Amino acid sequence: MSELPGTGVGRGVALGPVLRMPEPLGAPSSAPLDGPVEAADAAVHEAVAAVADDLTKRGALAGGDAQAVLEAQALMAQDPTLLDDVHTRISGGANAERAVHDAFAAFQDILAAMGGYMGERAADLGDVSQRIIAKLRGVPAPGVPDSDTPFVLVARDLAPADTALLDLDKVLALVTSDGGPTSHTAILARAKGITAIVGVEGAADLVDGQTVVVDAAAGVVVTDPDPDLVTATEARIAERLAAADRPVTPGALADGTLVPLLANLGNPADAAGAVALGAEGVGLFRTEFLFLDSPTAPTVEAQRQAYVQLLSVFPGKKVVVRALDAGADKPLSFLTDQDEENPALGRRGLRALRHHEAVLRDQLTALVQADAETEADLWVMAPMVADAEETAYFVSLARELGVRTAGVMAEVPSLALLAEQVFQQADFVSVGTNDLTQYTLAADRLLGSVASYQDPWHPAVLRLVAQLGAAGRDAGKAVGICGEAAADPLLAVVLVGLGATTLSMTPAALADVRAELGQHTLEQAREMARAALAAPSAAAARAAATSAHVV
Ligand code: PEP
Ligand code: MG
C-alpha cells in the first residue's frame, strides 16, 4: 500500500480499479497546407460548428452549473478573433489542424499569463481546441473512456465537458493530478456529489486495473489496499448508502439542538432538487448569477418573476436572498467598473449597489412584490459590507421598501471585528467564509499559487466567526454560515460550536453534514471549537478539532 495525498472534494469514499483517461491527441503535423485556403477554412468552420453544437447539446443534457460552463465553451469555440487568427495562419500556409492548434495555444498563453480565474479557463480552451482537431482528423474527441464495469477515473485534469456528463453509475471517483480547489473539476464534482481528489501529484504513476481507495475526507488515494482496508472501506461505503436512503430529518446535533440545513442556490430551477436532497430552506440565493450576461440592469418585472419562482418552492420556509454581488470574478456590466486594477478590493457588492442605488431599489422592490405573492419567509441580505454604517444604510433602505427581515453578509474582516455594532442594525448576519478567508489571509481565492491560504480552518478566520457568534448570541439574532466551509462536515460542527445557528451549502453536501452533526452534542462542538481556535495553523486546527472529540 502507498498513500498519495491531494485535495479532497467532499466526504465521499470509493474503492475500485483505475481507468486512465486517454492522453490528449498528438500535436498536428507542421506540413504546409496542401490544397486551397477556402477548403481548409470551410473544414475549420464545419468542425467548429459541430463542436459548438455538441457542447451545447451536452450542456442541455447536463443542466445546472454544467450547462453554463459548456455554453461558455461553445462560445469560445466560435470566438471571431480566434477564428480570424486561424484564417490568417491558413492563408500564411499552415494546414488546418496546425492553424487551429497554434491559434488556440497563443490565446491559451494569454489567459494563463493572466492567472487566477482566467488562467484556469485556459484549460477549457485547450479542450475546445482538441475537440476541433479531432473533428478535422475524423477521430473521436478525447474524453472519458468507456467501460462495462465501474472504475476510478484518473486523469491529468478533466475538461468541463467530460465532468458534466460523467456516468455516475460507472465512475466511482475522480482522481486528477492537476487542478486546484477552484478548478471546474472540483466545482462540478462538488455540485454533483462525485467523490474526488484533485492535485494528486503521484496520480501519473497509477495504472489501469490497479485497485485504489479514494478517501476524499482524508484527501488521500491509497494504492493496492490490504484486506483490512478493503473491508473497512466497504463498510464506510455501505454506511453512506444507508444514510442516503434514510428519511431526511431536520439538521440537529446529537443532543437535539436544531441546526437548520439550507441550500446555496444560483437559479430557481435548482430549488426542487435541493428540497429533494433535504434542504430546509435557502441560506444563500446568489441573484447575480441570473444576470451575468445582461448588458443592462434587469427590470423589476423580470426579477419579480424569478423570485416568485424561487419563493414558491419554499412555503413556510426561510429563504435568504442576497442583493446583487457584482464585481471581482462576477462582473455585471451595469454595476461593475471596468478599469479597476484590483477588483477583489474594488467597488464590488454593496459598494457598487450604493453607487447605483436605483438598481438596488429595483431589486428590493421586486423582492417585496414576490414576497407578497408567496408564502416563504423572505430574508434579504447585502454582500461585501464593511461596517455598521453600511449595515444601517442597507437595512434602512430595505425596510423603507418593505423588506421585513434585513441583514448583511460577514465577508470583510472589519465587519466581524465590529460585530456588536452591526447587530444593533441588522436582523441577522450570514458569514461568507469564502471571501472572509480570502480577505483575512490576503490571498486571492481564485489563485492556485496561494490556494493553501484559502483554508477556512485557519484560526484567524475561526476567531472572527467566534466574535460574530458571540455577538449574535448576545443580541439574540441569527448567525448563518453560507460559504463553502459549511459543506465540510467536521468544520460545520466547529462552526456551530462557534455560535452559528444555521448552515447553508451546495445541496449535494447536505447529507454528509447532517450525518456528522448527529455525532456531536453542543458541548462537544464547543469543545472542538475551543481546540481549533487555539491552534497555530489551519492544519493544526483541523487536527485539534478531530482529536477533541473522537466519535
Ligand atoms: C462567500 O464569500 O463565502 C460567499 C458565500 O459568497 P460568494 O462565494 O458568492 O462570493
Ligand atoms: Mg462572497
Side-chain angles (χ1 to χ4, degrees):
M1 294 204 295
S2 69
E3 294 198 347
L4 311 175
T7 305
V9 179
R11 304 286 288 173
V13 59
L15 166 73
V18 164
L19 193 55
R20 297 193 63 92
M21 190 92 158
E23 283 303 309
L25 299 173
S29 92
S30 301
L33 178 65
D34 175 19
V37 169
E38 294 72 28
D41 267 343
V44 169
H45 279 101
E46 201 180 306
V48 163
V51 167
D53 188 47
D54 180 46
L55 290 168
T56 311
K57 283 198 185 120
R58 282 164 167 255
L61 267 179
D65 288 353
Q67 182 161 13
V69 170
L70 293 178
E71 282 173 357
Q73 275 202 312
L75 283 179
M76 279 181 194
Q78 300 172 93
D79 185 289
T81 322
L82 256 168
L83 294 180
D84 276 355
D85 190 14
V86 174
H87 169 72
T88 309
R89 289 170 194 269
I90 291 174
S91 304
N95 69 56
E97 284 182 23
R98 172 54 60 186
V100 169
H101 177 272
D102 290 355
F104 275 72
F107 203 60
Q108 256 184 295
D109 287 347
I110 295 172
L111 288 187
M114 290 165 83
Y117 181 82
M118 297 312 279
E120 288 194 350
R121 300 295 76 77
D124 302 353
L125 202 61
D127 171 61
V128 174
S129 149
Q130 293 270 305
R131 284 171 192 278
I132 298 172
I133 293 170
K135 273 274 181 289
L136 286 168
R137 219 173 263 187
V139 299
V144 178
D146 272 337
S147 165
D148 293 336
T149 49
F151 57 93
V152 172
L153 182 62
V154 177
R156 185 123 56 85
D157 200 359
L158 282 179
D162 298 324
T163 323
L165 284 188
L166 283 182
D167 177 351
L168 298 186
D169 290 333
K170 289 283 166 53
V171 179
L172 300 166
L174 292 178
V175 173
T176 66
S177 52
D178 290 359
T182 62
S183 64
H184 273 135
T185 305
I187 292 168
L188 293 178
R190 202 175 284 125
K192 286 177 141 256
I194 304 174
T195 300
I197 307 189
V198 298
V200 178
E201 270 185 34
D205 299 331
L206 295 171
V207 295
D208 282 352
Q210 184 176 21
T211 301
V212 289
V213 169
V214 181
D215 186 344
V220 67
V221 179
V222 184
T223 60
D224 309 309
D226 64 22
D228 285 352
L229 181 58
V230 169
T231 309
T233 305
E234 284 168 347
R236 278 176 69 191
I237 294 169
E239 166 52 25
R240 281 176 62 79
L241 281 174
D245 277 350
R246 278 180 216 130
V248 176
T249 50
L253 294 168
D255 57 12
T257 307
L258 290 176
V259 184
L261 297 180
L262 312 171
N264 288 354
L265 294 177
N267 192 323
D270 297 334
V275 173
L277 289 169
E280 298 170 54
V282 177
L284 168 64
F285 183 68
R286 293 177 161 109
T287 56
E288 64 280 0
F289 281 13
L290 295 174
F291 308 112
L292 286 176
D293 299 328
S294 202
T296 53
T299 61
V300 171
E301 179 52 21
Q303 295 190 70
R304 185 193 63 79
Q305 287 178 16
Y307 304 147
V308 166
Q309 203 190 334
L310 172 75
L311 295 176
S312 43
V313 181
F314 297 95
K317 299 278 171 55
K318 172 158 124 179
V319 176
V320 185
V321 174
R322 173 169 78 184
L324 293 164
D325 182 19
D329 56 319
K330 295 175 293 194
L332 295 180
S333 55
F334 52 92
L335 277 177
T336 309
D337 296 338
Q338 303 300 323
D339 51 1
E340 292 180 342
E341 236 173 72
N342 200 347
L345 301 181
R347 192 153 65 195
R348 58 170 298 200
L350 182 63
R351 302 169 188 186
L353 290 170
R354 200 170 184 176
H355 191 67
H356 297 272
E357 192 180 286
V359 176
L360 178 55
R361 282 179 175 269
D362 278 358
Q363 182 170 32
L364 295 171
T365 303
L367 282 163
V368 170
Q369 288 179 3
D371 190 23
E373 287 178 47
T374 49
E375 303 302 318
D377 177 16
L378 173 68
W379 296 24
V380 183
M381 64 184 180
M384 283 294 294
V385 181
D387 57 24
E389 190 280 328
E390 288 189 352
T391 305
Y393 163 77
F394 177 75
V395 170
S396 66
L397 184 64
R399 294 223 172 97
E400 175 197 319
L401 293 170
V403 172
R404 282 172 293 139
T405 310
V408 292
M409 290 188 74
E411 299 179 287
V412 186
S414 56
L415 187 117
L417 294 167
L418 297 166
E420 300 89 6
Q421 293 180 9
V422 169
F423 274 110
Q424 286 168 20
Q425 310 292 335
D427 294 326
F428 69 98
V429 167
S430 181
V431 190
T433 51
N434 308 333
D435 277 315
L436 188 61
T437 307
Q438 130 162 298
Y439 294 127
T440 303
L441 276 303
D444 185 340
R445 65 190 257 193
L446 301 172
L447 190 59
S449 59
V450 291
S452 61
Y453 290 90
Q454 186 63 33
D455 191 336
W457 274 100
H458 198 286
V461 179
L462 299 182
R463 285 180 189 212
L464 292 175
V465 178
Q467 226 168 309
L468 287 158
R473 194 161 49 233
D474 290 348
K477 293 182 175 173
V479 181
I481 309 284
C482 64
E484 285 291 310
D488 173 339
L490 197 67
L491 183 50
V493 175
V494 167
L495 293 167
V496 172
L498 293 172
T501 53
T502 59
L503 300 168
S504 189
M505 64 205 73
T506 182
L510 287 163
D512 281 351
V513 171
R514 180 176 286 107
E516 187 73 39
L517 287 180
Q519 310 276 319
H520 313 269
T521 64
L522 184 56
E523 198 32 61
Q524 286 160 347
R526 289 185 176 146
E527 186 54 42
M528 291 159 71
R530 276 191 289 274
L533 285 174
S537 69
R542 192 183 286 113
T546 308
S547 45
H549 180 230
V550 180
V551 181

